[in-house]
Every structure is written in C-alpha cells, then in structure tokens.
Amino acid sequence: MRFLTFVICFFASAHHCVAEHVFVDGNEFFSLQEAKLAIKDGSKIYLKSGVYTEGLYISANNIEIIGEENVIFDDAAVDGKAALVLSGKNVLVESIECRNIYVKDLNGACIRFEGVNLTVRDLYAHDSQSGIMTSHNYDGFLHVEFSKFENLGGKASGRGYAHAIYANVGEFIFNYSQVLATGKEGSGLKSRSRKTVVKNSVLASMDAKDSRLIDVANYGELIIQNSILQQGNNSSNSQLIAYGLEDKKNVFAVNRIKITNNLFLLDREKANVIIVYKQANTVQIVDNTMVGDFLYPDEFSKKNPWYISRENAKLQAYPFIPKISELKQLISSISLVGIRE
C-alpha cells in the first residue's frame, strides 16, 4: 500500500502529493487520524509534504505542529470550524498552507484556536473564509509572524463576517506578515484583544471589497509601527482603521492608540479616513508618511508628512505595493524628492 501511494504521488505531481505522511514524536503514520491517537502533551508533530484533505482536532498542551515545504490543507475543515482545531495551551504551528476552507457558517478557518497561547509562523492562508480565529481568552496570546493571508473573507447574512484574522486574546502581535485583498466586507485584522500590535507588516485592500484593514472593536491598546497600509478603491468603508466603534463596554485599564513610522497609501477614489476612534485615553499618530487624499488633513498633516498623490510622492502608480523590506529606503526617497502638501 505504501509503495502504491508513492507511485500515485509521483505521477500526480512533482510538488503536491495527495497523501498524509505524519511523524509524532518520531513515530511514523500514514494518516492524520492514525497519528491523532499518538498525540499527547508535549508532542512534536511533523507533517511531510503533501495535500491533506482531512483536518484535525487536537486538545493536547505544549505541542508543535511543523510542516515540511508544500504541506497544504485543502478543503479540510473539521467540526464545521477549521482545518486545525486546537484547544490546548502553548501551541506552535509552523510552515503550513491552507486553501479552500469553507464551512456552513461561512467562517471556515485555517486555524481555530480555543486554547491559551498560540504562535504561528510561516502560514499561508488563502482563498478561504478565514485565516485564524480565536475564542475569547484574555489570559493568552496570539503571535503571528512571517505569514501571509490572501483572498479571505466570508459574509453570513444576519450573522456577521469572517476576517483574515479574528483575535480575542490578551495580546495579539502581528509581525513581518501580510494581509492582502480581504473580501466580502471582512476586515483584515479584527481584534477584541487587550493589546493589539501590528509591526513590520503589509496590509493592503488592493481591489477587494473589504471592510477595514484593522478593526479594534473593544478598545485596549492599539500599536501600529513600521508598516505599509493601503486602501483600495473598492473598500466598503472609508476608514482604514477603526477603534471602539461597536460601543462595547470598556473593560481594559489601558486604552491608547500609537501609530508611528508607517506608510499610508490612500488609493480609494471616494473618501479616505485614516482612523475613527472612541474612548481612547491617549492618541499618538506621528511620523507617518501619507500618500493620497484623505479627510480631515488638518488633524494629521502637521505631524505626518503628506503627499496628495502617488505622483507627488514620486511613487509608482497602483497596483504597486512596496515590500516591507523597502519601507525605510522608500520613505527616505519620498522625503527627498516628493512634493508635500
């Protein structure tokens, strides 16, 4: 049987083999369901390259799920939730791809996390309803780094929206990652967390019909630094960033906004609004480079260099989106050759 599987995989594709080959603590298995029985607290789960058409629910604590190159979960939702439904403490997920994750409630995710403390690295979630969703737990964190979320979003009539990431934790950090083209009026990052940090990342609406790039619904700390934020022409809301707009009860001791050293690309032909906020104790929005027209410029232009168009900033026309590695050099170049308002 194993030889037959190898032959099928070899002729099916040089890169993507429809087969499940898993190691749990060094023990070899040829299906996720077989492997599941061996997973315990502290296990290390290693996924060999291939297309996995079946997801997995894991409740163990202190586990690592590591994928080889080209590990892809395709149409693999379990429990009507996600490809990976994880409910333990201190979980690491690294180097996997998810695509075509759909469920009846229109919020199918690559990862549904119902535990405490999740770290995600090198995740590529795309062409699904959602990327990562967490349950409500202010004692834990969600840390996402070196990951990409693209063409996500779902809309369930009367039941809300799915987003690239939905975080409801104590600390949500999004670092060296991308959110591109969130659709169906979902938000790129939807957070109800005590603290939300976005840094060294690219969030771009592009031509998708998203809601907002970042929506921090329950107040708390919002910190955005050293990132690129682009609003496209089809965004359904004028605001790139929302803070506290749902009028939820304020339960956090610290409620502040700090947005510094970012590049804003305002490509929406209708009105662009940088941020709308309520109940923030302190607001610091300084040293950001604004490119494009937006409402209420007097509020921002004194402390943030403003160029009314890409042409004035001597920046390539849309759909050009810079890489995060180019940010510092690009801002320096704009400041030297651009024509400010």
Side-chain angles (χ1 to χ4, degrees), residues 77-82 101-109 112 129:
V78 295
D79 294 344
K81 294 181 179 180
I101 309 298
Y102 302 106
V103 301
K104 183 179 179 181
D105 287 343
L106 303 185
N107 62 355
R112 175 76 73 95
Q129 291 164 332

Side-chain angles (χ1 to χ4, degrees), residues 318-333:
Y318 176 83
F320 169 69
I321 306 292
K323 297 177 181 178
I324 197 62
S325 60
E326 302 169 337
L327 179 59
K328 289 184 179 180
Q329 183 177 354
L330 189 62
I331 287 177
S332 178
S333 174

